[in-house]
Amino acid sequence: MNLLFDGIAWVLDPANWTGVGSIPERIGQHLAISAVVLAIASLIALPIGGLVGHTGRGKELAVMVSGGLRALPTLGLLTLFALWLGIGLQAPIVALVILALPPLLAGAYSGLESVDRRTVDAARSVGMREIQIIGKVELPLGMPIVVGGIRSATLQIIATATLAAYIADDGLGRFIFAGLKTRDYAEMLGGSILVILLALAVDGLFAITQRLVVPAGVRVTRTRELRSRPARPRAVVGRPITEGNRE
Amino acid sequence: MTWLWSNLDLVGELTLTHLALSVPAIILSFVVSVPIGWLAHRYRWSRGVLLALCGLLYAIPSLALLIALPIVTGQRATSPINLVVALTLYGIAVIVRTAADAFDAVEPDVRQSATSLGYSSAGRFWGVELPLAGPVLLSGLRVVIVSTVSLATIGAVVGVQSLGSLFTDGLQRDIYAEIVTGIVATMLLAIGLDWAAVALGRLLMPWSRPNGSARRMALARVERVDAA
């Protein structure tokens, strides 16, 4: 347990809170990198995921891509881009964006898809256009899951931004790598404690957001029915209309 | 390519080391998660608590966990055992929710039928619930396999040898081929283990030859877990 006290003492040491490369500065860098990455990745993944979830097309491909990207080792990507783009922030940002895509994509499509197809068809039948259906029906109802995707992407980014310090002089990971080099366990542990606290704090904020985005009057229950057939129902003469995968 | 041919031995050796790190972690996390998942499924109060705890675990960055773990384990941060423990914890964080969902997916009617046929609760668990939860458990296990294999490379930055060593070494010595080899080898290993898990699943659960809709439901559940 002495180790833990050393780490905490390092975090609380006022000397580490001022000057160049101080704790507040590193936290700021860490958050800034994470925010930039999240913004870029969201711009790419959310529209695509939303489209997949709305139309139900290209789902297999989306699943494959997000599954395949999961197998991609972060560190490998990071070092590869570092060799390519040189030491600095470009490499970690590109690598992090790629890693943030799968959860965002998965959240967006499963969010929109989780909306009961009967609700969507009802919206369609009262004359809503597709874009209105997405914006006014599917998005609000699927929002908790979409935010869930953003949440897990953000956590992954914050976690991996620690590794960014391996090739750039930025972020909280700096303390860990500096400590590794000088065998200063207190600094390594202190840096780790800060990263963990930051991740937990951000996760907590998202947990609250996830509750707040549930539209009033809607209870989020786990939907049992998922689309297994195309959204558009077709009327069949002589048979009752069945739609989706209702048993 | 020339780099690969002249270093095949090294790659093979690191692949074995990588296997020795990730396979125990995968098996351990599965074995530990199934009872936790069952507990989370069984009681209303435990579900919230257990799932929240696992969520918190998942929120802890891997590198930070790797360095903070020695406080608990007493191992050095650079020891392979420390890495296996860290990977196991991550695996648990990923799979517990799926495990709870897997037991939820067993129809209450089926459970009641089993009880009325005279199954004791332990017998019902082994003979009915576990086999029926199997396919969904397998889908969770597959996620853990892939993420564990790719996460194990992180150990290289603190000095635990694995395929990740190809990344750190390649960066230091400016060898693209080495890094690319590392990435490809890691992914192939993940895919190989994944296939092995699927094959094992077919063998152990011949009844679960997944038909389209059941598989889609399970998949969708995993994705939902992934997103949530």
Side-chain angles (χ1 to χ4, degrees):
Chain A
M1 273 313 181
N2 272 335
L3 292 175
L4 182 58
F5 290 127
D6 289 348
I8 294 174
W10 182 90
V11 172
L12 296 178
D13 187 352
N16 295 324
W17 284 81
T18 50
V20 179
S22 64
I23 292 174
E25 193 189 332
R26 295 289 183 212
I27 293 180
Q29 289 169 345
H30 207 98
L31 287 176
I33 298 172
S34 307
V36 169
V37 169
L38 183 66
I40 300 175
S42 299
L43 277 179
I44 301 171
L46 292 183
I48 298 176
L51 212 62
V52 171
H54 175 72
T55 61
R57 282 191 210 132
K59 198 181 160 206
E60 305 292 321
L61 188 71
V63 171
M64 234 172 60
V65 168
S66 49
L69 283 181
R70 214 200 312 265
L72 208 58
T74 318
L75 187 63
L77 214 55
L78 202 66
T79 47
L80 189 65
F81 283 123
L83 265 197
W84 194 3
L85 302 171
I87 301 295
L89 269 182
Q90 300 96 314
I93 285 180
V94 176
L96 287 173
V97 165
I98 295 176
L99 290 162
L101 293 178
L104 288 171
L105 207 60
Y109 75 65
S110 50
L112 261 64
E113 199 195 38
S114 71
V115 178
D116 194 326
R117 289 300 114 185
R118 281 172 293 196
T119 312
V120 175
D121 290 336
R124 199 168 277 137
S125 71
V126 297
M128 279 187 156
R129 274 172 296 151
E130 293 304 305
I131 191 81
Q132 286 176 309
I133 294 176
I134 297 178
K136 291 189 174 165
V137 180
E138 288 180 323
L139 205 54
L141 290 175
M143 199 44 114
I145 298 177
V146 178
V147 173
I150 301 176
R151 176 182 179 178
S152 79
T154 309
L155 279 181
Q156 213 157 324
I157 294 169
I158 289 185
T160 320
T162 320
L163 273 182
Y166 188 59
I167 48 177
D169 184 33
D170 291 282
L172 286 170
R174 207 55 241 159
F175 296 128
I176 296 179
F177 287 105
L180 267 173
K181 206 169 263 174
T182 56
R183 301 191 177 274
D184 181 351
Y185 195 77
E187 184 176 6
M188 265 158 74
L189 191 57
S192 302
I193 292 173
L194 289 171
V195 179
I196 292 172
L197 289 180
L198 188 68
L200 291 181
V202 171
D203 192 42
L205 280 181
F206 268 106
I208 297 169
T209 316
Q210 230 168 340
R211 271 173 200 244
L212 292 182
V213 294
V214 179
V218 175
R219 244 188 45 192
V220 186
T221 46
R222 284 189 296 159
T223 22
R224 294 204 125 251
E225 23 232 326
L226 291 156
R227 166 169 30 216
S228 63
R229 283 210 263 149
R232 244 137 291 199
R234 41 210 93 74
V236 179
V237 181
R239 261 201 285 151
I241 299 169
T242 51
E243 166 264 308
N245 58 344
R246 219 117 299 129
E247 281 102 335
Chain B
M1 260 337 210
T2 42
W3 183 90
L4 179 58
W5 295 131
S6 44
N7 291 278
L8 263 182
D9 287 353
L10 175 71
V11 176
E13 195 182 306
L14 288 177
T15 306
L16 289 181
T17 324
H18 204 96
L19 267 177
L21 289 169
S22 35
V23 171
I26 292 166
I27 293 174
L28 270 176
S29 53
F30 185 72
V31 170
V32 174
S33 301
V34 170
I36 300 180
W38 185 83
L39 264 185
H41 147 80
R42 184 67 185 75
Y43 306 102
R44 187 176 267 283
W45 60 269
S46 59
R47 185 184 187 89
V49 175
L50 289 174
L51 294 188
L53 275 180
C54 292
L56 276 187
L57 203 58
Y58 192 66
I60 297 175
S62 50
L63 188 59
L65 180 65
L66 206 56
I67 287 171
L69 255 188
I71 299 174
V72 187
T73 59
Q75 298 285 330
R76 277 178 306 116
T78 53
S79 86
I81 295 178
N82 188 44
L83 182 64
V84 171
V85 175
L87 290 176
T88 306
L89 287 177
Y90 265 107
I92 294 173
V94 173
I95 205 178
V96 162
R97 188 180 283 266
T98 317
D101 282 343
F103 289 112
D104 287 347
V106 178
E107 296 286 336
D109 290 352
V110 174
R111 207 170 288 133
Q112 280 185 348
S113 310
T115 311
S116 67
L117 282 173
Y119 274 94
S120 67
S121 60
R124 196 183 62 189
F125 174 80
W126 292 108
V128 179
E129 291 178 25
L130 192 61
L132 288 181
V136 182
L137 282 175
L138 178 64
S139 66
L141 179 67
R142 294 180 61 184
V143 176
V144 170
I145 287 175
V146 173
S147 68
T148 304
V149 170
S150 100
L151 203 59
T153 56
I154 303 275
V157 302
V158 298
V160 183
Q161 290 277 310
S162 70
L163 284 171
S165 309
L166 297 176
F167 305 149
T168 49
D169 191 60
L171 179 66
Q172 257 159 29
R173 300 198 294 157
D174 259 351
I175 309 175
Y176 278 99
E178 188 173 5
I179 298 180
V180 174
T181 305
I183 294 178
V184 173
T186 309
M187 292 184 80
L188 286 180
L189 197 62
I191 294 169
L193 285 180
D194 184 42
W195 278 353
V198 173
L200 197 69
R202 291 252 168 89
L203 208 68
L204 292 175
M205 305 182 285
W207 64 89
S208 77
R209 185 58 48 102
N211 62 24
S213 90
R215 213 194 54 176
R216 248 187 292 269
M217 291 274 271
L219 257 179
R221 207 169 274 131
V222 171
E223 277 148 28
R224 204 76 60 71
V225 169
D226 202 35

